[in-house]
Amino acid sequence: MNEITDQYGRTFKTLRVSLLSRCNLGCVYCSLADDKIKNNPVPENLMAVDDLLQLIERIHSAVQLETIRLTGGEPLLYPDLIQVISGLKAIGISEIKLTTNGFLLERMAMAMRLAGMKSINVSLDAMDEDIFFLMSKRNDVQRILQGIETAVAAGLEVKINTVLMKGINDSQLVPLLEYAFEKRITIRFLEIMAMGHLHQQSGKYLFTQQEILDVIQARYEFSRLERSNSSTSNYWQTKQGNLFGIIANESEPFCHDCNRLRLDSHGNIYGCLSNNHPISLNGVNNIQFREKLLEALLQKQSVRFTGSELSMLNIGG
Ligand code: SAM
């Protein structure tokens, strides 16, 4: 079968599956500012697990996926998460990963590992409890740290993801870095993306890759590592051997070799975060299926992310 590819030679090898749009945190860059609709409490009509797995298997046979990342919303709120992980393993996906806020991780980590999960990213935007509340509208940093440490003990490879917002949590860069270094966990700092309700005003919160490096440089000596293909993150290693990364969506865009496809909890795909147009895979025959995947591939930007009114909550981070 012909490979589905675009004029830049890009293909789909990584599928990000948003299992649901609901979340148990209300992060300021992700949730709507309005308290009443924060956290998306409206019950969703989610696809049945078997239908979801069948759809993923169909995508896999069309593009030979290498990695699947489960996300949301908050994927640990998805009632059949373990069934999804073992189903993906049975389909033959070699790398099964997940992104979580870590709130339910302590109780879920071992079951996830046993079902076939390899690695997880845990989002954590502050060590200080008040700043964590400012960012996420919840308390209990300790609970997330406990989740991270339980996941490491269960044999999961863990990375920490921190979105930095100038004037809100940039003071947390060093405390988070020190925690990660102490635990020998790789931490990545994310430049804020112009998405959702911050679509038109993310610029004022942007804490750039260079600003991040300047802060770290005042404390550590480090050198840059070579970027691997299709990686979202740039990486550096300190003289002591600790790794940190920066996802510099604004300062150093990485669209040129993006291999990601997104699937939401309603059977819609998106080829690019910059594109708000969902492409439904529901009820399409095999010829249309390939056409829809190609249509999604053609949504990709050639150079940089151009912003989106959709929040990551819906499209999956
Ligand atoms: N609930 C899970 C979590 O908190 O990791 C998974 C979903 S969350 C949408 C996935 C990732 O997207 C998180 O690391 C979050 O920090 C990031 N994210 C969401 N909106 C963002 C934005 N506007 N800019 C940068 N990163 C964002």
Side-chain angles (χ1 to χ4, degrees), residues 23 29-30 71-75 99-101 123 161 163 190-193 195 312-313 317:
C23 189
Y29 45 78
C30 203
T71 179
E74 173 48 41
T99 302
T100 174
N101 60 38
S123 304
N161 277 350
V163 177
L190 283 77
E191 290 183 347
I192 186 94
M193 295 177 73
M195 295 195 72
M312 286 270 203
L313 204 54

Side-chain angles (χ1 to χ4, degrees), residues 81-95:
L81 176 64
I82 300 303
Q83 206 183 325
V84 172
I85 300 169
S86 12
L88 294 176
K89 202 171 173 212
I91 290 171
I93 307 291
S94 50
E95 298 281 330

Side-chain angles (χ1 to χ4, degrees), residues 129-243:
E129 198 63 66
D130 292 338
I131 300 178
F132 182 76
F133 184 82
L134 210 60
M135 290 296 285
S136 70
K137 304 289 177 284
R138 287 231 18 196
N139 285 120
D140 216 347
V141 174
Q142 271 315 315
R143 178 168 166 169
I144 298 173
L145 300 183
Q146 195 56 51
I148 290 174
E149 288 158 35
T150 306
V152 171
L156 288 164
E157 187 198 311
V158 178
K159 292 195 191 89
I160 295 174
N161 277 350
T162 300
V163 177
L164 287 174
M165 291 179 78
K166 187 172 268 176
I168 302 193
N169 73 333
D170 50 315
S171 65
Q172 297 302 291
L173 197 170
V174 172
L176 284 160
L177 189 78
E178 286 176 348
Y179 170 76
F181 283 0
E182 184 198 323
K183 300 288 173 190
R184 310 294 289 180
I185 293 172
T186 300
I187 183 163
R188 287 120 43 103
F189 298 102
L190 283 77
E191 290 183 347
I192 186 94
M193 295 177 73
M195 295 195 72
H197 71 104
L198 287 183
H199 179 212
Q200 304 288 3
Q201 40 165 335
S202 63
K204 67 180 180 202
Y205 298 115
L206 179 65
F207 199 76
T208 63
Q209 170 163 276
Q210 192 52 55
E211 288 171 306
I212 296 168
L213 290 174
D214 289 346
V215 172
I216 302 178
Q217 205 151 31
R219 288 164 182 81
Y220 296 93
E221 265 186 65
F222 51 77
S223 50
R224 189 165 178 164
L225 304 179
E226 202 174 319
R227 175 181 179 269
S228 46
N229 280 348
S230 306
S231 174
T232 53
S233 186
N234 301 320
Y235 284 101
W236 288 260
Q237 186 166 35
T238 66
K239 234 179 162 182
Q240 294 75 23
N242 293 307
L243 272 187

